[in-house]
Amino acid sequence: MLFYIGNEESYYTVIVEKGYIVLRWREGNNVLEQKSAKKEFPLTQGKELQVVLLGQAKKILVRLTGQDVITAKYTPEEYKSYYLGGLASSLRERYNITAPPFKGCMSNIKLDSIVVTFEDEIGVGRGCSSDFLAIRESTFALGGSLSAPPRGFKLNADMTISLGFRTLQNGGVLLKNNQGDIGMELSLVDGFVVFNLDKRALKSNRMYKDGKWHYLTVKKRGSRLEMRVDEEDLGQVQPLSSLVTANGPDVLLGKGTFQGCLTNLYMRRPGALYKPEDLSAFSSSGDVSVGVCAAEHPPQLIVASLYQDPGHSAWETELWQGDSTSRCSLPPAVNRAYHLGGPTSHLRYNIAPQVLNYRPHFSLAFRTRSAEGLLLFVGSKRGHWHMALYITKGRIKLSVGGNLPITHMEMCNDGKWHTVMFSLEMNTFHLVVDQHRAMDGVLTHSNGSSLELQPPVFLGSVPQYTYTESQRLLPRESVVGCIRNFKMNNQWIEEPSANHGAPPCFNGNTEKGAYFSGKGGYVALDCPNSNFMGVGFHLEFEVRPRNMTGILLHIRDQHHPHLVLFMKNGEVVLKARSTAGESSVSVTQQGLCDGLFHRVTVSRKNTVQLTVDEKSEHMRGSSFSGISSGCHLYAGGVPDTFLHHKPPVKASFVGCIRNLRINGKPISFGKAPQVFGPVNTQECPAS
């Protein structure tokens, strides 16, 4: 998915399919499409893509570096928003759009030659490292193959290869390589996995043509061969079947005979012991879809940072929203770091079970002064087992399965950064803190793959429903502190699939308040009572903005907003609803970005008055009405479900709010029943 624009009546999408640019649009009840005359992707260097809507000419053009690659009929419509890179799940379901989210880099994004500011950036990272562009999986049709030089991988020395696969077919070559007189082949024969190497062969005991993911590893150590499928099936020695000589020494995937998906190929060698191969660096032949497993609908996540959820990987820009550009300075954030703290603060990552259950290797860094708290937790399919990294009495512990945890004996809650690496290898689990290794732990009941670990992976606290009786001795709440550089199998895991109360981590001093980092974050608070908006109503708080457009407070009943207080381009605005309709009042106050707190009050006597610092304005016309059907109070933003009602602004607030009082009663952010997105309900950066 590159681009989407639409409304209730129609839509236009620009996507990439098998290297071709495809324009697909809805016309009445029909879905039509046109595609480029030749393959334009993958792109090894940046090119300018333009989507041009010509209302008078009733044409839509798709241009690549100034050349029209698609021209189609266009019916002018009024559009409120558009998406880049992905699409909200509700729109995908409504129009049955299955194109996976874009994986790559975009820059210099403009609307009518003006650089745009995005309303929402979800699953999008800054910068464009080549590591982010790596492709780990591919779909093969019959006749399709991938090839690449071995790049230091040798068959005449000790070697290890592992990969995941899924297929419904009986046979096909998964991987093949010939070097001199030595030939190696991994294949499916009558549904069984067969490993041939240098006149020897192993065959699996079970068939693997069920369409499910399976993970296999083959090794050569001296004269000894080993094969494991899903960690349990060790296979049997077989007579060697004849090997077909490959054309040259390239590593071949698929070889034109395999139909299915391959993922997470590891060819371990010096310099690439734990790094999966980048399939985008392979040459393709025939029908191959690199970067997606077409059997998945929608694509499953292997690692959240590499394959984003189609419902959560998009830039969405509201054309009617106005300028939300931040003109305030942001506090200095720690790179790749999140702040955790509180009973509900956590990050959630979707990592596929086949990856979690094949020798998982995690690493992260943290700093905290907490003597107790959870750092990482992964549950299991049946709830009996787990992997948990936590602090107790100031020391790091690693618990795997139902076995005794292993402990690093040095105190780690000193407020300094510490690096932790931990892994599970067969029957043994390891813990290394600041390069000092703790005594290994041993699984007493079985090997690691039988733990049946399953996503999600939590950093920080864990929802109550995930705990079972076997985990009663583990901490329930997160450590209070910062966590950064989260990796699995030596690969960065950049963006979580969900963020609950984990904003960026900042250096320097902190002070009391709630810090909102934008990106859709908000807090649901308890209303004082159901009749609190009558005559004599008084609301007050202090705010230190870091952006000039965003929702501050939103009060509503079950069906309608009654009071919305927000900033728009530096102006503080109050909109209120009553039986007579809607009214608004605004205050323009200079210097809101001066880094100081500003006092905002809303009071109702004979009229409604909005005050920012010492400047006040009265609302003309009717005031707001009371709430009779359940009160909902939100700070910093609103749930996505409200956005269909077109609030005055969609941007969530960035900055600090403190000392919130309604009718004289303090409203505690720290006791908020629900926190969504990157919000710190405990403290704000002081500078």
Side-chain angles (χ1 to χ4, degrees), residues 554-562 627 630-632 634 642 645:
H554 187 106
I555 302 173
R556 62 183 292 126
D557 63 14
Q558 292 181 357
H559 306 289
H560 303 287
H562 282 248
I627 290 179
C631 171
H632 301 271
Y634 300 93
F642 291 4
H645 301 293

Side-chain angles (χ1 to χ4, degrees), residues 452-502:
E452 295 184 311
L453 299 176
Q454 69 172 8
V457 175
F458 293 97
L459 297 186
S461 63
V462 176
Q464 184 70 29
Y465 66 84
T466 64
Y467 272 90
T468 65
E469 183 65 20
S470 65
Q471 289 128 25
R472 65 187 184 278
L473 298 180
L474 300 176
R476 299 291 178 95
E477 297 186 8
S478 168
V479 299
V480 178
C482 292
I483 194 166
R484 71 179 181 185
N485 292 353
F486 180 41
K487 294 182 180 181
M488 182 176 185
N489 297 341
N490 210 35
Q491 298 296 304
W492 298 110
I493 303 183
E494 290 292 334
E495 292 291 335
S497 58
N499 180 323
H500 289 268

Side-chain angles (χ1 to χ4, degrees), residues 304-616:
S305 66
L306 300 180
Y307 300 97
Q308 298 293 339
D309 180 2
H312 295 85
S313 179
W315 271 316
E316 180 185 1
T317 296
E318 288 298 316
L319 302 180
W320 49 269
Q321 203 266 284
D323 177 19
S324 62
T325 303
S326 173
R327 294 189 292 270
C328 310
S329 62
L330 294 172
V334 180
N335 192 30
R336 304 181 189 273
Y338 296 90
H339 183 277
L340 298 170
T344 61
S345 176
H346 68 261
L347 301 165
R348 186 168 66 222
Y349 296 86
N350 288 324
I351 300 175
Q354 68 269 20
V355 180
L356 287 174
N357 289 286
Y358 182 75
R359 299 177 178 177
H361 181 282
F362 294 99
S363 64
L364 56 88
F366 73 93
R367 70 178 185 195
T368 182
R369 294 193 180 277
S370 299
E372 310 284 335
L374 197 58
L375 286 167
L376 179 145
F377 179 88
V378 190
S380 65
K381 186 174 183 180
R382 295 178 176 83
H384 300 306
W385 314 117
H386 63 265
M387 174 181 283
L389 183 74
Y390 59 99
I391 295 178
T392 181
K393 296 182 180 179
R395 295 178 172 87
I396 286 284
K397 290 192 175 185
L398 176 64
S399 173
V400 178
N403 302 273
L404 291 175
I406 55 178
T407 305
H408 176 69
M409 300 309 297
E410 298 294 327
M411 302 288 285
C412 292
N413 62 330
D414 54 6
K416 299 178 181 179
W417 284 106
H418 298 275
T419 301
V420 184
M421 294 183 288
F422 53 104
S423 62
L424 176 60
E425 292 280 346
M426 299 297 291
N427 297 316
T428 306
F429 50 104
H430 314 284
L431 173 64
V432 180
V433 182
D434 296 332
Q435 299 183 347
H436 297 289
R437 186 165 180 166
M439 183 177 293
D440 290 344
V442 178
L443 298 181
T444 56
H445 64 283
S446 184
N447 64 47
S449 63
S450 64
L451 292 178
E452 295 184 311
L453 299 176
Q454 69 172 8
V457 175
F458 293 97
L459 297 186
S461 63
V462 176
Q464 184 70 29
Y465 66 84
T466 64
Y467 272 90
T468 65
E469 183 65 20
S470 65
Q471 289 128 25
R472 65 187 184 278
L473 298 180
L474 300 176
R476 299 291 178 95
E477 297 186 8
S478 168
V479 299
V480 178
C482 292
I483 194 166
R484 71 179 181 185
N485 292 353
F486 180 41
K487 294 182 180 181
M488 182 176 185
N489 297 341
N490 210 35
Q491 298 296 304
W492 298 110
I493 303 183
E494 290 292 334
E495 292 291 335
S497 58
N499 180 323
H500 289 268
C505 179
F506 301 108
N507 286 318
N509 297 326
T510 61
E511 55 189 314
K512 182 181 178 181
Y515 186 79
F516 298 81
S517 299
K519 297 184 179 180
Y522 67 93
V523 174
L525 299 166
D526 291 325
C527 289
N529 57 63
S530 60
N531 297 311
F532 73 95
M533 289 180 63
V535 176
F537 173 78
H538 185 83
L539 178 153
E540 63 178 295
F541 60 92
E542 293 177 278
V543 60
R544 181 168 60 201
R546 300 289 188 175
N547 69 345
M548 300 299 287
T549 297
I551 296 172
L552 296 171
L553 293 174
H554 187 106
I555 302 173
R556 62 183 292 126
D557 63 14
Q558 292 181 357
H559 306 289
H560 303 287
H562 282 248
L563 184 153
V564 183
L565 188 61
F566 59 94
M567 295 177 61
K568 187 168 184 178
N569 300 331
E571 186 179 36
V572 180
V573 185
L574 172 68
K575 281 197 173 184
R577 176 183 175 273
S578 70
T579 55
E582 289 187 349
S583 304
S584 65
V585 62
S586 63
V587 172
T588 301
Q589 178 70 301
Q590 301 297 322
L592 290 179
C593 272
D594 56 7
L596 303 177
F597 279 96
H598 298 269
R599 187 168 180 264
V600 179
T601 64
V602 177
S603 58
R604 178 183 182 185
K605 294 181 181 178
N606 296 326
T607 61
V608 175
Q609 178 176 300
L610 171 64
T611 304
V612 181
D613 294 332
E614 304 300 325
K615 191 172 182 178
S616 298

Side-chain angles (χ1 to χ4, degrees), residues 176-192:
K176 181 178 177 62
N177 183 224
N178 282 50
Q179 297 181 18
D181 297 332
I182 303 176
M184 186 274 295
E185 183 178 276
L186 277 169
S187 59
L188 288 169
V189 178
D190 297 327
F192 294 91

